């Protein structure tokens, strides 16, 4: 896995000297069609069959999560909703309106996480970001 080095301020102590941190450098995204093609190659299912199953699965996920279910995805992990809540001084003041920052969280299973025990990291340079000087550029 590739990583680059970035300089960041300490979010807790803004006056402290910045420190350097490793951050992942991701390649291109792998889309659902590519996944379906790969599954199809290594099974007796057609691309259309695999695509239909994956599309249906993704379509159903929000319904199960909204119903409060945790979704166990085999040895991959458990998918669930989580959220933050505003603190109130009295219990009766806590309502659904107190809830914010709803997130979908995947907690990987030990077997899946163990697949990365032998991960090799390689430092790469990151191309400088383009600056927008406001002059167009046609």
């Amino acid at each position: 896995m590739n990583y680059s080095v970035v300089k960041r301020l300490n979010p807790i102590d803004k006056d402290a000297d910045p420190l350097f941190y490793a951050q992942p450098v991701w390649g291109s995204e792998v889309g659902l069609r590519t996944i379906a093609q790969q599954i199809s190659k290594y099974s007796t299912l057609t691309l259309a069959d695999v695509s239909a199953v994956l599309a249906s699965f993704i379509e159903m996920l929000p319904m199960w999560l909204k119903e409060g279910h945790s979704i166990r995805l085999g040895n991959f992990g458990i998918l669930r909703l989580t959220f933050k809540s505003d603190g109130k001084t009295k219990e009766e003041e806590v309502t659904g309106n107190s809830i914010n920052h709803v997130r979908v969280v995947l907690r990987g299973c030990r077997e899946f996480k163990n697949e990365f025990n032998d991960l090799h990291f390689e430092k790469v340079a990151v191309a400088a970001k383009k600056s927008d000087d406001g002059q167009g550029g046609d």
Side-chain angles (χ1 to χ4, degrees):
M1 168 129 203
N2 292 336
Y3 73 93
S4 64
V5 178
V6 296
K7 188 177 187 179
R8 291 193 186 127
L9 292 173
N10 182 335
I12 297 171
D13 182 2
K14 305 272 189 209
D15 295 327
D17 289 337
L19 298 175
F20 293 91
Y21 298 89
Q23 85 175 11
V25 175
W26 293 286
S28 61
E29 290 184 356
V30 175
L32 209 50
R33 181 169 176 80
T34 301
I35 294 168
Q37 287 171 331
Q38 291 294 310
I39 292 171
S40 178
K41 282 183 185 178
Y42 296 101
S43 71
T44 59
L45 300 171
T46 67
L47 174 60
D49 292 335
V50 175
S51 296
V53 169
L54 290 174
S56 296
F57 176 70
I58 291 169
E59 183 93 11
M60 299 302 293
L61 285 176
M63 178 194 70
W64 293 321
L65 292 169
K66 287 177 184 178
E67 290 176 356
H69 297 287
S70 292
I71 303 168
R72 178 170 291 282
L73 302 170
N75 288 340
F76 180 54
I78 299 172
L79 201 60
R80 63 175 52 126
L81 288 182
T82 186
F83 54 78
K84 293 184 179 180
S85 169
D86 297 327
K88 305 293 181 182
T89 56
K90 296 181 182 173
E91 181 179 348
E92 57 272 9
E93 293 176 334
V94 178
T95 66
N97 291 330
S98 304
I99 296 171
N100 52 54
H101 301 291
V102 177
R103 295 184 317 146
V104 178
V105 174
L106 173 69
R107 194 178 115 231
C109 287
R110 183 179 311 122
E111 297 87 355
F112 185 72
K113 290 178 184 178
N114 287 342
E115 292 291 324
F116 306 102
N117 287 344
D118 60 350
L119 190 59
H120 170 75
F121 296 97
E122 186 171 328
K123 186 176 179 179
V124 297
V126 176
K129 293 181 182 179
K130 290 184 177 180
S131 65
D132 183 7
D133 60 8
Q135 297 193 18
D138 293 307

